[in-house]
Amino acid sequence: MFVNYTDRLADFMATLHVDDIPPDIRRLARVNMMDGIGVIVAGQAFLEHESDFRLKNYISLQSGAGQSTALGFNQSLSMQNAGFVNGSLSEVLDWQDTTMPARLHSGSGTVPAVLAAGEWRKSSGPDILKAMVVGYEVGARVGVAMQPSHWYEGFQATGTIGAIGAAAAVGSLMGFNTSQMSSVLGVAGFIAAISNGDGVFHGFSIKPVHGGMAAQAGIQAALLVASGFEAGPLEGLEPRKHGFMNIASEIYDPESISNGLGTDWKSRDCSQKLYPVGLLIIGPVQVTLELVNKYAINPEQVEKILVTSYSDTLHFVGTHYTSVDSTYIDAHLSLPYAVAVAISDKEYGWRQQSQQRINDPVVHELASKVKVDVDKTMDQTYPMDWPVRVEITLKDGSVFSQRLDKVTGCPSRPMTDDELVFKFMGNTTGLIGEENSKRVQEMLMEIENVDTVNEILELLIPMN
């Protein structure tokens, strides 16, 4: 007998009350919104610093009623375009959150979609909180049901599954009933972008756009359903089952999208990034910085660097070397570059990805000394832990090494509130000022008490 698991998931999300959400899941919704806004603002500041006007040029070509704000640009666009711009900005620095079991940057689609639709509807703080929970949980559940097969088929879940999470979040803000919520998931699966690995891992400038496409498609899906459009379940219909999950993943488990609803929160595994680099590089950078600062290691002393970690590290980022011709997109997916610049600068922020820094040939020469090896035993605790060992050998024969299993930001060691507030303030103060940054941070951490999300967005206007 055919079971519609999408309907089951939709019914739970459509009838969810904010009082039913566990305290730790509420906390995640707050900090994910704060982190997401900070990363968006930092992305715009970085593009401005780099004189990268491609996204700004795209905005100038668009038309549509001013309904929602493109952060950093201080421009009012249509909901879909604002979601697109903010979602793309969230991916610029690769500093976004990650639900690792789903292989999904959840906030890249959901946060911009919630901001855009929430501003348009003047949504209350409690409604924003619930929409965040709905979007993150739906995205996580669909992702866990399809991964890692979806990934190995060449899809990037941030653009594909991210659209489904974003659609659910906007549907929540629009008060969709069970039938509408089920349709919005199906519609999002029908119109989602085919985000692919080549577009992400080969240095193309289009890479950040898959976050924007997820937000845009999520908003569009909700507007289509509000207009009366319908769609079938994500798992597909008998006999061919040509729905989103079946055609986009060779191996998938449709039952898991509705199993344990209300008790087993898949979004609980979402965590945030300590540094603006690819997720697999965070641990190597963290350990490298601890070593060079503890032992006062200077780059000219270094003979070689060996990084040992789990298999995905070598496969996706371990052999990606850079040159003065590389871009910031190359840089934040290159483990050798990240380790080298961490040794040279003894810090890692978005300035380490600037073209000025990339243009220094000395950094790439040091990066050529970085080699990555695999310890298969480290695969056993990944992805909940991100174990890594860094060994730095100096020219005088001295060797300094350190291992870290619970890297800051991995699911088993998430960033603390204090760490996330520090990150947010660093990402926003330069653009909107310390006073406004502090006020926004306080409002986001107590979002249930905010009358409308518009009050927050008004404080995010750039100083200049």
Side-chain angles (χ1 to χ4, degrees), residues 69-76 460-462 464:
T69 303
L71 299 182
F73 292 103
N74 192 29
Q75 287 185 249
S76 186
L460 290 168
I461 297 174
N464 299 318

Side-chain angles (χ1 to χ4, degrees), residues 11 23 113 124 313 341 457:
D11 183 63
S124 69
T313 303
V341 80
L457 289 163

Side-chain angles (χ1 to χ4, degrees), residues 31 63 290 294:
V31 299
S63 61
E290 290 177 3
K294 181 178 180 179

Side-chain angles (χ1 to χ4, degrees), residues 12-13 16-33 99 126 128-138 140-141 260-272 417 444-445 447-448:
F12 177 82
M13 298 303 168
L16 180 67
H17 192 277
V18 71
D19 293 337
D20 300 326
I21 301 171
D24 66 319
I25 300 299
R26 292 194 199 190
R27 179 253 172 198
L28 267 176
R30 298 186 201 103
V31 299
N32 285 336
M33 175 64 84
T99 305
I128 293 292
L129 179 78
K130 185 175 75 169
M132 285 286 291
V133 171
V134 168
Y136 273 69
E137 185 65 18
V138 167
R141 284 180 166 272
L261 284 166
T263 55
D264 181 16
W265 293 84
K266 303 298 185 185
S267 55
R268 191 169 269 137
D269 291 328
C270 183
S271 56
Q272 301 79 27
D417 287 359
L444 290 169
M445 292 299 279
I447 197 166
E448 294 97 323

Side-chain angles (χ1 to χ4, degrees), residues 40-50 72 89 93 350 427 430-431:
I40 291 169
V41 171
Q44 162 56 10
F46 177 80
L47 293 183
E48 192 76 22
H49 180 271
E50 296 294 286
L89 288 174
L93 288 170
W350 63 258
N427 279 342
L431 193 68

Side-chain angles (χ1 to χ4, degrees), residues 2 8 42 80 106 117 126 145 188 219 357 386 400 414 436 448:
F2 175 73
R8 292 182 178 180
Q80 294 98 312
S106 303
I219 294 167
R357 198 69 193 90
W386 303 338
F400 301 95
N436 278 3
E448 294 97 323

